[in-house]
Amino acid sequence: MPAALSWLPATAWSTVTGASLPDTVRPVTGLSPTDRADLDRAARHLVRYMGAGEFVPFVADRAAGAFVHDASGRAVLDFTSGQMSAILGHSHPAIVEVVTGMVGRLDHLFSGMLSRPVIDLGEALGTLVPGLDRVLLLTTGAEANEAALRMARLVTGGWEVVGFSQSWHGMTGAAASATYSAGRRGYGPPAVGSMAIPAPNAYRPRFTTADGALDWQRELDDGFDLVDRQTSGGLAAFIAEPILSSGGVIDLPEGYLHALLERCRERGMLLVLDEAQTGVGRTGRMFAHERDGMTPDVLTLSKTLGAGLPLAAVLTTTEIEQRAHERGFLFYTTHVSDPLPAAVGLAVLEVVARERLAERAAVAGDRLRRGLVELQERHECIGDVRGRGLLLGVEIVADRSSRTPAPETGAAISRRCFDLGLSMNIVQLPAMGGVFRIAPPLTVTDAELDLGLEILDRAITDVTG
């Protein structure tokens, strides 16, 4: 065992050295004829929706806990919780029970008709964040952000929306207009009044103090100076993620959200926080903004709320909801207030509370971070380890002294990880090395975390020597 990983159990290390891998978690030796035929059919018929990305060379057959399996029985350790969503792991018994029961009892209704699961989930969410007691239940994160920004425009009378230049809020309308990390070119003009400011990046700071540390206060002031120069008098909202996941896992410094809320108050804007990936326990608290002791005007939830199933929510104050209603707020969609996903969301909240999974995320996240930092000490290509709880980022660089981005190295490590049985997502952004987004389920075991670290260590060694 490498000395830098001496804290890992010897039994865990043995599973990824040499030929002693478990039968189910084993290096890929090529696609089976059936999988190859399935992927050929996919190539003929499916739209490629990932920009320059490609489909993973794997055809999933089933998933359970922290693993996804193909038809041959090969298991891949899922360090992204599906699409950063399955916080309870795959096929959690509580979710299976709810879905099985609800699909044969009450699945979908006329959009103006309520059901007890919707009322129950609305009540549960409406008591989780002090002051945000009104709830709208939808399906996806983009849809929730659309509703939040539509409400902000109606309530304030403005139309201008400010976001971060590294943000991702969705691929539809207003959400896409507020997304700056990818997908802006070739689709025509974004919504009128779309603006962006840089998010504070401690690893690559734009403004620094005398000792070289990130000066986020000065950067925030500079950003809003630009906003004030660009606005035509219609500022409606600022939309932000507490941790910019697709933006490279950029964790906003403590105190930043308070300061951002003050800037919004001064200009009559609403602050919308998008906690699609940070909400429902992932960062070690129920919601990431709790660390800062502040409450936004509007909170959007998705991904983690449905634990992998399509469920989203918008939370806001009674005052904002009343003002929106008086002005005729309309967001009438096909699946608004659907009972089946609402029942799932209620089960998710119950499991997270009963099993104290937010606390587990803090403990497991500390273990994972320690392992990643020890890998950083061994591998020059790991420039930075950042994030909170079980949402961590690892930035890959050419070397730590220059911090030169090394996206090709990151991509190669990602491919090798998958070959060895670990699914890792890497984001590639301008002026930034490839950044691994590591977000295993909150139910992940210590042994599974250790296995993931060992596979990552081997993959880096194989790629960089």
Side-chain angles (χ1 to χ4, degrees), residues 170-456:
M171 289 283 94
T172 61
S177 293
T179 292
Y180 292 90
S181 63
R184 294 194 69 82
R185 296 182 180 177
Y187 305 97
V192 173
S194 299
M195 305 181 209
I197 66 172
N201 185 341
Y203 186 63
R204 299 181 183 277
R206 298 175 66 250
F207 291 80
T208 58
T209 60
D211 61 359
L214 171 70
D215 188 344
W216 62 261
Q217 293 97 334
R218 198 153 57 96
E219 184 169 12
L220 182 61
D221 287 339
D222 180 73
F224 268 91
D225 179 63
L226 292 174
V227 169
D228 291 340
R229 292 172 186 273
Q230 294 175 79
T231 179
S232 54
L235 290 171
F238 194 110
I239 184 168
E241 304 163 86
I243 301 176
L244 284 76
S245 177
S246 296
V249 193
I250 299 174
D251 188 1
L252 300 183
E254 190 164 2
Y256 191 96
L257 287 177
H258 254 302
L260 181 58
L261 183 62
E262 289 174 3
R263 304 301 191 282
C264 290
R265 290 279 184 272
E266 292 167 359
R267 292 160 177 81
M269 308 166 66
L270 299 187
L271 176 58
V272 178
L273 283 190
D274 178 356
E275 291 224 32
Q277 298 191 35
T278 56
V280 197
R282 179 165 289 289
T283 66
R285 298 174 182 264
M286 193 61 180
F287 303 108
H289 71 266
E290 292 176 355
R291 181 202 66 179
D292 292 68
M294 54 79 68
T295 301
D297 298 298
V298 184
L299 175 67
T300 63
L301 305 172
S302 51
K303 294 182 183 291
T304 56
L305 181 60
L309 292 173
L311 174 65
V314 179
L315 281 64
T316 191
T317 67
T318 296
E319 294 74 21
I320 290 174
E321 191 277 340
Q322 179 62 31
R323 208 176 317 156
H325 177 68
E326 290 169 355
R327 298 183 181 186
F329 178 67
L330 180 65
F331 205 83
Y332 193 94
T333 70
T334 301
H335 293 288
V336 64
S337 294
D338 260 359
L340 191 155
V344 169
L346 195 62
V348 170
L349 296 182
E350 289 172 350
V351 171
V352 168
R354 182 177 67 246
E355 299 184 8
R356 302 171 69 175
L357 291 182
E359 296 175 35
R360 170 60 187 162
V363 173
D366 180 65
R367 182 184 187 91
L368 180 59
R369 179 187 286 273
R370 284 190 292 118
L372 293 170
V373 169
E374 292 199 22
L375 290 182
Q376 182 182 27
E377 293 171 356
R378 292 190 63 235
H379 297 288
E380 181 71 14
C381 69
I382 298 181
D384 192 33
V385 176
R386 53 183 180 255
R388 277 186 265 166
L390 284 175
L391 178 56
L392 298 179
V394 174
E395 183 161 349
I396 303 299
V397 295
D399 61 83
R400 283 199 291 273
S401 57
S402 70
R403 303 187 182 185
T404 302
E408 298 83 4
T409 301
I413 293 170
S414 179
R415 290 191 297 270
R416 185 57 181 150
C417 279
F418 196 84
D419 288 345
L420 294 171
L422 175 65
S423 178
M424 298 264 283
N425 175 256
I426 190 163
V427 293
Q428 309 280 13
L429 296 169
M432 189 181 290
V435 180
F436 284 109
R437 293 190 295 168
I438 304 178
L442 308 192
T443 53
V444 68
T445 66
D446 287 351
E448 289 163 349
L449 290 175
D450 295 346
L451 177 60
L453 287 165
E454 295 166 33
I455 294 175
L456 178 58

Side-chain angles (χ1 to χ4, degrees), residues 123-163:
E123 181 179 41
L125 289 172
T127 57
L128 280 179
V129 182
L132 302 185
D133 46 16
R134 294 301 181 97
V135 179
L136 174 64
L137 299 179
L138 298 163
T139 53
T140 69
E143 190 180 28
N145 290 330
E146 292 285 345
L149 295 176
R150 187 175 177 89
M151 183 180 290
R153 288 182 170 119
L154 183 66
V155 166
T156 64
W159 60 90
E160 295 168 331
V161 173
V162 185

